[in-house]
Amino acid sequence: YAKSQGRNQVQYYTAALNMHSFKHFALSNDLRKALAKDELFIQYMPRVQAQTTEILGVEALVRWNHPDWGLVSPAEFVPIAEETGLIIPIGEWVLREACKQNKRWQDMGFTSMTVSVNFSVKQLLQQNILQTIDRIVEETGLSPEYLEIEITESSFISNEKEVIHLLDELKKRKIKVSLDDFGTGFSSLYLLKQLSLDTIKIDKSFVEEILTNPVNKSIIECILSLAKAMNMNVVAEGVETAEQYAFLKSKECDEIQGYYFSRPLDIKDLEALLKSKQMNTQLAIRNQAKIV
Ligand code: C2E
Ligand code: MG
Ligand code: MG
Ligand code: MG
């Protein structure tokens, strides 16, 4: 009995593996045509100032609406895009769309929002990446200070010199740079000091356990004081509860990104949110005026 049970387990496991590799194979095949078929789209996730909850910017997050598999998460298809090299055209498309969209928002009156765009290592290390960025910024007419590029610690492994140089060039252009998923990689403090970074984004795995794991509290406090000393902004990612928000606010974390404030939104939904926030601010100003 035990033996057959064991074999079933193995069969089940093999089937699951096959299913996984089948999907992986199918996705990597279809991803080639996804851009041309208009199956990719972008959602925008608000980043709010911790003290005032004002929306300071949005992060562009790519999505894939697959005709058979439905909505495929970027956690699943971005690695495939990296393996196949498709991250280059896809990344360029995301950058262009995000800049174009932010310019539109500025023209609509939402004037000081930054849009941040995730960059994979492969993208970052392309020969002509600066020309590509310059061309897109120029084409879309977005002021470079309203663009932020998010990189991860894995970008520097064995490419320190290139990345340091690239970040310096971006700084000259006033384009902002943030270090995403901070704490999950292996960057040294020595390297961190050499990089022209504007912002550190604390990975959500630390935020998740703020209230249950005292070590995480200390790690976050430590990152916050380090960032302050180095004159960098800190964003806490993955904030889902009032308690997590209260802790981060009390520790003077600069910005919050998480479901507690908003999920990633379609363009129309984000615009509705921006308009309602604008209304609230106007009301607040009017009420203040009345009191005085
Ligand atoms: P990321 O850059 O760290 O983006 C944050 C991810 O955390 C997003 O997942 C977001 O929806 C999720 N998140 C934020 N706050 C919360 C929260 O409070 N609770 C929970 N459960 N999740 C939260 P998403 O959109 O699935 O993206 C996953 C990853 O895919 C991104 O992580 C990024 O590494 C990658 N990615 C997304 N778009 C692009 C892109 O255009 N280019 C590249 N290269 N990578 C991208
Ligand atoms: Mg990111
Ligand atoms: Mg992150
Ligand atoms: Mg990431």
Side-chain angles (χ1 to χ4, degrees):
Y1 175 77
K3 207 170 167 187
S4 75
Q5 186 80 337
R7 193 155 47 221
N8 281 343
Q9 285 291 75
V10 169
Q11 275 170 354
Y12 174 77
Y13 188 64
T14 313
L17 255 183
N18 283 341
M19 188 56 183
H20 175 82
S21 46
F22 172 66
K23 188 177 184 190
H24 188 93
F25 178 74
L27 290 183
S28 59
N29 243 348
D30 297 343
L31 193 55
R32 237 167 282 282
K33 290 161 278 172
L35 254 184
K37 288 169 70 186
D38 242 3
E39 289 166 4
L40 299 185
F41 65 102
I42 300 175
Q43 285 189 319
Y44 294 90
M45 185 170 190
R47 251 165 71 167
V48 309
Q49 190 173 9
Q51 300 303 325
T52 63
T53 76
E54 181 194 354
I55 297 174
L56 298 178
V58 289
E59 176 173 5
L61 295 160
V62 68
R63 271 93 183 81
W64 183 9
N65 198 357
H66 189 285
D68 307 325
W69 298 97
L71 209 60
V72 185
S73 153
E76 193 164 11
F77 76 82
V78 165
I80 296 175
E82 286 167 347
E83 278 164 35
T84 53
L86 288 167
I87 195 65
I88 304 291
I90 291 174
E92 194 174 319
W93 177 80
V94 173
L95 179 64
R96 181 175 293 107
E97 287 303 306
C99 289
K100 224 192 280 177
Q101 187 55 55
N102 200 19
K103 177 69 168 85
R104 262 185 231 131
W105 282 324
Q106 301 204 336
D107 293 343
M108 285 170 74
F110 307 117
T111 49
S112 54
M113 274 200 318
T114 300
V115 71
S116 32
V117 177
N118 293 285
F119 265 51
S120 293
V121 198
K122 265 205 181 153
Q123 248 180 306
L124 209 62
L125 296 175
Q126 268 178 101
Q127 278 302 317
N128 54 359
I129 186 64
L130 279 169
Q131 285 105 294
T132 304
I133 295 171
D134 286 342
R135 182 162 38 80
I136 289 175
V137 166
E138 174 155 351
E139 260 174 38
T140 57
L142 181 69
S143 300
E145 65 259 44
Y146 297 118
L147 171 62
E148 180 174 284
I149 287 171
E150 297 196 2
I151 64 173
T152 54
E153 290 163 280
S154 62
S155 313
F156 330 130
I157 298 180
S158 65
N159 310 300
E160 291 182 17
K161 279 218 179 80
E162 288 97 320
V163 175
I164 291 172
H165 168 76
L166 191 62
L167 298 203
D168 286 338
E169 285 298 316
L170 293 173
K171 195 193 180 102
K172 279 186 202 159
R173 291 157 168 77
K174 297 197 171 118
I175 294 171
K176 307 221 166 65
V177 179
S178 59
L179 187 56
D180 204 356
D181 305 338
F182 185 71
T184 61
F186 297 96
S187 64
S188 68
L189 295 179
Y190 174 73
L191 180 59
L192 205 60
K193 209 175 73 172
Q194 292 174 287
L195 295 170
S196 316
L197 289 169
D198 299 277
T199 299
I200 283 179
K201 300 185 81 172
I202 303 179
D203 190 68
K204 58 174 171 290
S205 56
F206 296 106
V207 175
E208 241 163 45
E209 292 177 40
I210 280 183
L211 296 145
T212 49
N213 184 344
V215 174
N216 281 16
K217 261 190 184 172
S218 311
I219 291 175
I220 289 177
E221 285 168 348
C222 192
I223 297 175
L224 284 167
S225 63
L226 179 75
K228 202 167 243 175
M230 291 168 105
N231 210 9
M232 289 186 289
N233 253 354
V234 180
V235 179
E237 277 194 300
V239 177
E240 292 188 351
T241 68
E243 290 81 10
Q244 291 166 342
Y245 169 52
F247 172 78
L248 291 156
K249 190 181 174 193
S250 74
K251 296 292 170 191
E252 285 172 38
C253 179
D254 303 285
E255 291 176 45
I256 307 287
Q257 185 178 345
Y259 291 179
Y260 181 63
F261 285 103
S262 172
R263 298 211 167 220
L265 299 173
D266 290 332
I267 293 168
K268 288 287 157 241
D269 294 330
L270 181 73
E271 285 171 3
L273 182 69
L274 290 171
K275 278 179 190 148
S276 73
K277 283 261 175 186
Q278 213 172 40
M279 285 282 268
N280 286 343
T281 326
Q282 278 163 3
L283 278 177
I285 291 169
R286 218 177 305 155
N287 286 341
Q288 256 172 8
K290 264 181 212 158
I291 293 165
V292 174

